[in-house]
Amino acid sequence: MPRLLPLAALLLATACVPLGTPITDPNAARRPASQQPAPGYYADKTIRYEDYVYNPDVRSVQCYVATGQPTEVFQPPVVPLSQGQPVTLEFDLLGSTSQRFTAKLVHCDANWQPSVLTDMQFLSEINEFLITDYRTGVGTKVPFYHYRLQMPRVKLSGNYLLLVQSQGGVPVLSRRVLVYENQVEVSLRQGIPVAGAERYTMQQVDFAINYGGLNLVNPAQEVKVMLRQNFRWDNAKYNLRPTFVRDADRRLEYQYFNFENAFAAGNEFRFFDLRSLRVMGAGMAQLDPNTSPRSVALTPETTRNGQAYSQYDDINGQRVFENREYGNGATNGDYANVTFQLRAEQQAPGPVYILGALTDWKLKDEFRMSYDPETQQYSAQVLLKQGYYNYTYVVAKPGAVPDGVYFEGSHQETENQYDLLVYYRPPGTRADLLIGYQAIDINSRQR
């Protein structure tokens, strides 16, 4: 599993004290016009085999490995086949009425399409799990119920979609989960982009796969690999083929020269501290405790593109829910209308969005910013739960990965995490197994 930054120390250092039917929207009348969800995003209930939220009242979704450590929420849902530490799913349902939710697992192939396996081929129990662990929010202006579920153990490695449904089988949310077994030896190392200026703005990951203990018939064609940055799916590298096949050594090497395995390094993520709604935390400019929900305006920000790199610890786009005064952000964390402000002398060459784990790494309509030419400023108001957040500003590009460099810049000194997924389907079988997994932290602050 990947190494983590000293996040508990980082968060504690900034704190004063320790840390039914979902189709209808019963709370729509409570929300201001700016918080009314875009109907198109939530209207389509077609199951998507990705991280997705289908109900506008479902918020603050976290899917992680329960390690028992303060930083467990930053562990991506990636577990060995032994599953000694379970994958945990948590989410909130806004409103004063609880709902009956069930969960199921969908086994998927390497391309995240449903496989042809029956439930009993990857599970030892009935594939329907009633979520019975739920509690109401305590002392909050915005009423909600907090739900929690541990994923059941599976018998095969590979890709799984954890799907939560309401009565009638209507999808509520879905999360991707990876279960791996190290049948091959994966080695990762930081490479150097073969170019001029790119070596100062990009990060390259070279890797190799040793398959000495596994009888692979045609490894160059049958082994599939995928490379991710900060556990994101939106900018992952797919269908990478080996550049060298060393049959005598039973080794596949992946060393590219056209940036196939290189990512824009980006910048350390922006952050704000919303763990208190009584006093202003880092990144907050205004706080109105008398509104319902409470209103928070973040400090107006500017572009960082073209500026020198500044080193500080971030949490790689993640967030943690917490209430500074009472702890237990799961049930004590209230919701607030948070206004983001970004100054820009002119409009960007495309729509501007807030991006991070708070958006599921997607360009959601509610996180799209509007531009005011008179004030020369982008702004967006979003309903968020109390916590500590990382985020970034990106520019949408049709048919391409969002441009995070336009406002943030890119520096090879940036700390990022990368992980590699290795898939293989043995001859005569019907399942893509995840036979190797490894992660690396580039420019780690841990020494």
Side-chain angles (χ1 to χ4, degrees), residues 237-278:
K237 305 286 187 179
Y238 295 88
N239 301 318
L240 297 175
R241 295 297 181 184
T243 51
F244 300 99
V245 179
R246 306 191 185 280
D247 290 330
D249 299 327
R250 301 181 68 79
R251 178 182 175 88
L252 303 175
E253 295 184 357
Y254 299 75
Q255 299 180 33
Y256 300 97
F257 304 95
N258 294 315
F259 309 115
E260 291 95 331
N261 57 336
F263 294 78
N267 211 331
E268 308 298 352
F269 284 84
R270 301 175 190 256
F271 64 92
F272 65 93
D273 190 345
L274 193 66
R275 287 176 292 164
S276 176
L277 292 175
R278 294 184 178 181

Side-chain angles (χ1 to χ4, degrees), residues 267 270 301-307 342-353 369 371 378 392-395 403-410:
N267 211 331
R270 301 175 190 256
E301 301 176 286
T302 61
T303 181
R304 297 190 291 173
N305 195 355
Q307 298 180 2
L342 175 63
R343 292 170 178 159
E345 295 182 357
Q346 59 185 11
Q347 283 189 268
V352 176
Y353 289 83
M369 309 188 77
Y371 185 72
Y378 282 97
T392 187
Y393 295 115
V394 299
V395 179
D403 182 4
V405 178
Y406 185 86
F407 284 113
E408 307 297 351
S410 188

Side-chain angles (χ1 to χ4, degrees), residues 81-385:
L81 188 57
S82 62
Q83 297 157 79
Q85 297 170 322
V87 171
T88 298
L89 174 70
E90 298 189 53
F91 63 93
D92 291 343
L93 176 70
L94 300 186
S96 55
T97 304
S98 62
Q99 302 283 344
R100 181 183 187 274
F101 293 127
T102 59
K104 63 180 293 186
L105 286 173
V106 181
H107 184 269
C108 298
D109 61 19
N111 297 318
W112 287 101
Q113 293 301 309
S115 72
V116 297
L117 297 185
T118 64
D119 291 346
M120 297 308 296
Q121 288 179 296
F122 61 85
L123 273 176
S124 300
E125 50 194 309
I126 301 299
N127 194 6
E128 184 177 67
F129 312 96
L130 179 64
I131 303 179
T132 58
D133 185 356
Y134 62 94
R135 294 166 290 167
T136 184
V138 179
T140 61
K141 287 190 174 184
V142 177
F144 66 89
Y145 278 82
H146 182 77
Y147 290 79
R148 189 173 186 271
L149 170 74
Q150 283 193 351
M151 191 184 98
R153 297 171 65 92
V154 296
K155 299 188 290 187
L156 290 177
S157 65
N159 292 345
Y160 291 88
L161 187 78
L162 181 56
L163 178 66
V164 177
Q165 299 173 303
S166 65
Q167 296 182 27
V170 179
V172 173
L173 68 92
S174 54
R175 281 297 179 268
R176 293 175 173 180
V177 177
L178 302 174
V179 179
Y180 68 91
E181 50 185 329
N182 283 323
Q183 297 189 38
V184 295
E185 181 182 346
V186 179
S187 59
L188 300 178
R189 66 179 180 87
Q190 182 177 4
I192 300 177
V194 184
E198 285 81 0
R199 68 179 57 194
Y200 303 107
T201 61
M202 302 188 76
Q203 291 174 344
Q204 179 170 307
V205 180
D206 295 331
F207 54 95
I209 300 172
N210 294 310
Y211 57 96
L214 193 62
N215 186 24
L216 303 183
V217 179
N218 186 5
Q221 296 296 322
E222 296 177 347
V223 172
K224 299 179 180 179
V225 300
M226 193 193 71
L227 186 63
R228 299 190 300 176
Q229 181 189 58
N230 294 327
F231 313 115
R232 295 169 55 178
W233 294 101
D234 61 311
N235 65 345
K237 305 286 187 179
Y238 295 88
N239 301 318
L240 297 175
R241 295 297 181 184
T243 51
F244 300 99
V245 179
R246 306 191 185 280
D247 290 330
D249 299 327
R250 301 181 68 79
R251 178 182 175 88
L252 303 175
E253 295 184 357
Y254 299 75
Q255 299 180 33
Y256 300 97
F257 304 95
N258 294 315
F259 309 115
E260 291 95 331
N261 57 336
F263 294 78
N267 211 331
E268 308 298 352
F269 284 84
R270 301 175 190 256
F271 64 92
F272 65 93
D273 190 345
L274 193 66
R275 287 176 292 164
S276 176
L277 292 175
R278 294 184 178 181
V279 297
M280 292 195 296
M284 293 170 59
Q286 295 178 345
L287 169 63
D288 187 347
N290 298 317
T291 59
S292 184
R294 295 177 177 90
S295 299
V296 172
L298 301 184
T299 303
E301 301 176 286
T302 61
T303 181
R304 297 190 291 173
N305 195 355
Q307 298 180 2
Y309 171 74
S310 179
Q311 176 180 315
Y312 56 86
D313 287 339
D314 66 359
I315 51 177
N316 290 335
Q318 300 298 315
R319 79 272 203 246
V320 58
F321 303 119
E322 190 58 68
N323 183 312
R324 267 174 129 181
E325 284 75 32
Y326 302 106
N328 190 14
T331 55
N332 293 337
D334 205 349
Y335 280 81
N337 281 323
V338 179
T339 299
F340 294 79
Q341 303 176 87
L342 175 63
R343 292 170 178 159
E345 295 182 357
Q346 59 185 11
Q347 283 189 268
V352 176
Y353 289 83
I354 304 159
L355 188 71
L358 74 168
T359 73
D360 290 338
W361 299 104
K362 296 182 182 300
L363 302 182
K364 291 187 175 182
D365 291 339
E366 59 197 293
F367 289 89
R368 179 169 176 168
M369 309 188 77
S370 58
Y371 185 72
D372 185 343
E374 293 187 3
T375 60
Q376 295 185 325
Q377 182 169 276
Y378 282 97
S379 64
Q381 187 183 75
V382 188
L383 187 68
L384 296 176
K385 193 175 186 178

